[in-house]
Amino acid sequence: MIRLILVALFLILFLLLGIPVLCIEWLIARKFPHAAEISQLRIVQWGFKCILFLAGTRLTVIGEEHVPKDTAVLYIGNHRSFFDVVITYSRCPGLTGYVAKDSMLKVPLLSIWMKRLYCLFLNRNDVKEGFKMILTGIEQIKRGISVCIFPEGTRCQSSDDTKMLPFKEGSMKMAAKTGCPIIPMAITGSADIFENHFPWIRSAHVTLQYDEPIYPKNLSKEEQKHLGSYTRTKIGAMLERI
């Protein structure tokens, strides 16, 4: 219970004290937009690392050398916990927008930070809006901003860490259209932080593994056609090894 209270208090204080910070960052962005973007990225990453510390999360990272630091990528990972975003975003070397449910737009202050950091908001019930979101993601990648997606569409609630829901192929179009590298991510143990004993937060050991980049243009036509399934197989193999 103590960990839950500490994390909740920290999140509330971060959002409240972040109001003047957002104002300052807005002023900086008028003359130095890129500097403001990087500054906001590092502030949020610091906040996420504090949350993981307060939650008692012990993180093991494998294969981080596979993540390019000089080009935009499409991160693709399995999804088991709300903490997956906290864990993976804290490791991003550069600007990265996450695909989130459009209901997040209703969360005060948090939605402002998400917009500032190029998050994309998906309406699952509107195909047209979903297509617009993909086009926006393509433009962001072309501008050098990475994108992260959990293609299962929701958290997999299986007790077996190696299990995944089917990947939605539409989520892979950002890589298919831009040719950017796909970075497969395998996450195990994240549900032990919160979901496996809701509503309490408990200390847990989480492993985050990155695989070698997948370059869509180097794949066969059949593999390109089923890029989501191909990437899912790669992540599945990592989960089995972990």
Side-chain angles (χ1 to χ4, degrees), residues 21-199:
V21 174
L22 284 169
C23 294
I24 294 170
E25 292 289 352
W26 179 78
L27 291 173
I28 294 173
R30 297 181 69 178
K31 281 198 172 183
F32 309 101
H34 184 67
E37 290 170 344
I38 296 299
S39 173
Q40 290 166 121
L41 168 69
R42 301 308 178 206
I43 289 171
V44 172
Q45 288 183 319
W46 171 82
F48 281 175
K49 288 176 182 177
C50 288
I51 288 174
L52 292 174
F53 173 77
L54 294 173
T57 303
R58 304 181 306 280
L59 180 62
T60 297
V61 182
I62 303 170
E64 202 163 22
E65 68 276 5
H66 295 315
V67 181
K69 295 178 174 58
D70 57 353
T71 187
V73 304
L74 180 66
Y75 294 99
I76 297 292
N78 63 309
H79 194 21
R80 300 188 57 81
S81 170
F82 293 119
F83 277 81
D84 292 339
V85 175
V86 178
I87 292 163
T88 56
Y89 193 80
S90 67
R91 312 299 305 187
C92 294
L95 292 172
T96 305
Y98 274 58
V99 175
K101 295 182 292 185
D102 61 346
S103 58
M104 296 299 296
L105 288 167
K106 299 177 182 179
V107 182
L109 299 178
L110 178 60
S111 59
I112 298 176
W113 281 101
M114 293 177 74
K115 289 177 183 177
R116 292 277 186 94
L117 293 169
Y118 295 99
C119 286
L120 303 170
F121 299 93
L122 175 63
N123 183 341
R124 295 176 180 174
N125 300 317
D126 192 325
V127 176
K128 186 176 180 181
E129 288 300 313
F131 182 67
K132 286 182 180 178
M133 185 275 293
I134 291 173
L135 292 178
T136 302
I138 290 171
E139 289 305 313
Q140 286 188 184
I141 290 173
K142 289 180 178 178
R143 291 168 53 199
I145 302 164
S146 297
V147 174
C148 180
I149 301 177
F150 298 106
E152 291 166 278
T154 188
R155 290 173 291 116
C156 178
Q157 299 181 26
S158 170
S159 60
D160 186 347
D161 263 356
T162 65
K163 299 297 183 183
M164 288 181 286
L165 300 173
F167 278 17
K168 299 182 184 302
E169 290 289 341
S171 60
M172 313 300 294
K173 290 186 182 298
M174 296 183 201
K177 296 295 184 182
T178 62
C180 76
I182 297 169
I183 304 298
M185 303 184 299
I187 307 166
T188 60
S190 59
D192 291 332
I193 303 173
F194 181 61
E195 282 78 4
N196 286 349
H197 32 255
F198 177 86

